[in-house]
Amino acid sequence: RNAVARLEQQRDHLRSKGDADEAIAVLERQRQGVLAQIERGAAQAQAANEQLAKIKPVADRLRQQQLGDVCPACQRTYTQEDRTVMLPLLERQIDEANCALDEIAGKRRAFEQQAKAIEPRLKEASDRAAEIKVLSGRVADGRSAIDTEDRGLHEAEAELQRHLDAASLASVPAAAEAAAAARDADQLGRVASALPVLRSLRESLQRHRDDREAAELALAELGEVRYDATAHQAARESLTEAQNAAAKIREIERSLESRPQYEHALASASAEIAAQSAAQAELETQRQQLGFDPRELEQAAAEERQRLRDEQIARDSKADAASKLTLTQRDRELLAADHQRISQLAEQAEAKGREADTLTMMYEEFNGFERFVAQRLAPALAESTGELLSAVTDGRYDSVNVTESYGIEVYDGHEECFPIEQFSGGERDVISLCARLALSRLIGGQANHPPGFLVLDEVFGSLDRDRRLHVLETLGTLSSATDAFKQLFIISHVDDVRSSPIFNEVWRISEDSDGVSRLENLGVSGGVDE
């Protein structure tokens, strides 16, 4: 109880400093808020760095470029206005971004200091909460132990009272009384343990007394008795000899009873001996008549054994020959199957050779046809592609060459010619679009019944606004200048494409709240046409 009281005093002292769980919750919210501010500052710093990464290269190019240089991205010539207007604006944006980064860094350091200051307070509150929890657990364990001991005490007191009642005592005896009672109890215990032995001894004594009385009565009835030890020993030896003689007599009598059987068996054995002797004599006579020689018999047995070994060797040779015959027949069958398969392969190889010769001839003919087509149509295709490309690029690129493998080369000027792979992504898309339009116009112009329409699906995604306008104007010109493109169907997600004046109808696919797609006819301005 004293230990529990001390633990409760320590726990109450810790609780007097405030609610540890509430303090932990408050400090944790403060720390999370500071960490959120730090993350927000990091995101702002990242955005500022990304803006600097975009602005700085542009400003550096403006500082390094000379008047008349061409921008590699938009192919526009630098002017003095770009330096006097754009460069100060970019430098001011760079300074603002650097100032913002410095401010963000200062705030980050302040927030980090706040977070660092919160950590020891949070640790102290956590330690205090943990210690309060441990003390509360120890107090609960102590109270449980006290309850257990109280129950044991009550049970011991009840047991003591039962013993006092059984001993007819009003109170617990003193130590001297308890010692004297213990000695008495020890003596009584030893007496009680000796009682069974004493009873057994008394019964045995009573039996011996009865036996003694019976023996005295029998002795009285016999009268006077004299005992001679020598005569007693001689009588015992005579008795033993008589018993042995009687046993031998009984054995002899049993043998005599079996004598007729032995005599009959002897007569039978004598007759059998006589018969066997006669048979032996007869066999000896027959042996002498046969002229038997043991050495000849041994030699014949040896020859027989040799013949048996030869027979076994012959059987083994026959089995080996049969096995070799089976293997030879199987090899013959395999050779026959291989011969048949090789013959089939030879026939197939001959057929494949004929097919290969035919394919080689067709390949050569097609190559010749391709060279013929390239020589015949490549100039017209290059000329048509150059016209379209000149119209789209405002004359920057006006000459195109189509190689024998139908690769596209574009002249940048009058002498330098570059493959399409060396141009930027947007320029490659423009060149490819013009080549496809030229090929469609060329094929449509040669057909007896041209389709009369052209479908373009998402061809404006990589073009800037000016090039989209040039391509749309070129498409409008083509649709009015040739029969091959009387109708244009253009599919695009670029918003400014539908505002081109070359369209007379604009349609849109929308989805309602039920997930059902609906086709709407829009005006060029964007309104829904009823």
Side-chain angles (χ1 to χ4, degrees), residues 18 26 33 92 127 130 137 144 190 192 206 217 223 237 242 296 326 349 351 384 404 417 432 448 459 461 475 484 510:
V26 172
R92 185 168 62 254
D127 294 342
S144 177
R190 286 197 298 270
Q206 184 64 37
L217 291 175
E237 291 176 355
E296 292 180 359
T326 302
S384 179
E404 291 185 356
C417 184
S432 300
N448 293 328
V459 298
L475 291 174
S510 62

Side-chain angles (χ1 to χ4, degrees), residues 54 111 177 187 243 284 295 309 420 464 491 504:
K54 295 178 181 179
F111 287 131
E177 296 175 354
Q187 292 178 359
Q243 289 176 348
E284 182 66 23
R295 289 178 295 178
R309 285 195 294 270
I420 188 174
D464 57 20
I491 302 170
N504 51 19

Side-chain angles (χ1 to χ4, degrees), residues 468-526:
R468 285 198 297 270
L469 294 177
H470 286 303
V471 171
L472 289 170
E473 291 175 359
T474 303
L475 291 174
T477 303
L478 287 175
S479 64
S480 61
T482 178
D483 293 337
F485 304 135
K486 285 299 183 180
Q487 275 187 308
L488 290 178
F489 296 92
I490 296 179
I491 302 170
S492 177
H493 289 83
V494 182
D495 292 335
D496 57 2
V497 172
R498 68 181 183 183
S499 61
S500 175
I502 70 170
F503 300 118
N504 51 19
E505 283 193 15
V506 178
W507 295 79
R508 180 180 67 185
I509 296 177
S510 62
E511 186 177 349
D512 57 17
S513 59
D514 296 333
V516 179
S517 298
R518 201 175 45 165
L519 186 63
E520 299 175 349
N521 187 357
L522 308 179
V524 177
S525 60

Side-chain angles (χ1 to χ4, degrees), residues 96-310:
E96 291 176 354
N98 287 326
C99 292
L101 284 174
D102 294 338
E103 183 179 358
I104 291 170
K107 291 182 178 179
R108 181 185 179 88
R109 287 191 295 271
F111 287 131
E112 288 177 349
Q113 291 177 357
Q114 292 180 12
K116 190 179 295 184
I118 290 173
E119 289 297 333
R121 296 168 56 194
L122 183 60
K123 185 178 183 303
E124 187 274 334
S126 299
D127 294 342
R128 183 155 52 88
E131 189 174 358
I132 290 173
K133 184 177 181 181
V134 171
L135 290 174
S136 298
R138 293 179 63 186
V139 168
D141 294 341
R143 290 191 178 280
S144 177
I146 290 172
D147 294 339
T148 302
E149 294 298 329
D150 285 340
R151 287 194 297 272
L153 177 61
H154 294 322
E155 292 175 358
E157 290 176 348
E159 184 70 17
L160 175 61
Q161 187 61 44
R162 285 196 297 273
H163 286 297
L164 290 175
D165 295 339
S168 301
L169 296 176
S171 62
V172 178
E177 296 175 354
R183 287 192 298 272
D184 295 340
D186 183 54
Q187 292 178 359
L188 290 174
R190 286 197 298 270
V191 170
S193 62
L195 281 176
V197 178
L198 293 174
R199 291 193 184 96
S200 177
L201 291 174
R202 186 177 63 182
E203 293 175 358
S204 178
L205 179 60
Q206 184 64 37
R207 285 195 302 273
H208 287 308
R209 285 176 179 174
D210 296 338
D211 293 339
R212 182 179 177 180
E213 291 177 357
E216 289 176 350
L217 291 175
L219 183 61
E221 290 177 358
L222 290 176
E224 184 179 0
V225 178
R226 294 179 181 180
Y227 175 71
D228 187 355
T230 303
H232 185 202
Q233 182 65 29
R236 297 185 74 175
E237 291 176 355
S238 299
L239 177 62
T240 302
E241 291 177 359
Q243 289 176 348
N244 293 334
K248 290 180 180 180
I249 291 171
R250 286 193 296 272
E251 183 68 25
I252 292 170
E253 289 177 352
R254 284 196 296 271
S255 299
L256 289 175
E257 291 175 356
S258 302
R259 181 175 179 177
Q261 297 178 358
Y262 291 148
E263 291 176 349
H264 180 71
L266 178 60
S268 299
S270 299
E272 183 69 23
I273 290 172
Q276 294 294 331
S277 297
Q280 182 179 4
E282 185 179 359
L283 290 174
E284 182 66 23
T285 302
Q286 293 177 0
R287 184 179 68 80
Q288 292 176 358
Q289 292 175 357
L290 290 173
F292 173 74
D293 189 358
R295 289 178 295 178
E296 292 180 359
L297 177 61
E298 182 66 26
Q299 184 177 0
E303 291 178 357
E304 182 183 9
R305 290 193 294 271
Q306 183 63 35
R307 296 293 184 272
L308 291 174
R309 285 195 294 270
D310 294 340

Side-chain angles (χ1 to χ4, degrees), residues 6 40 68 80 90 214 239 292 318 335 345 394 399 457:
R6 287 194 300 271
R40 192 177 299 111
Q80 184 62 33
L90 293 176
L239 177 62
F292 173 74
K318 180 181 179 181
L335 288 174
L345 291 175
D394 287 336
S399 181
D457 188 3

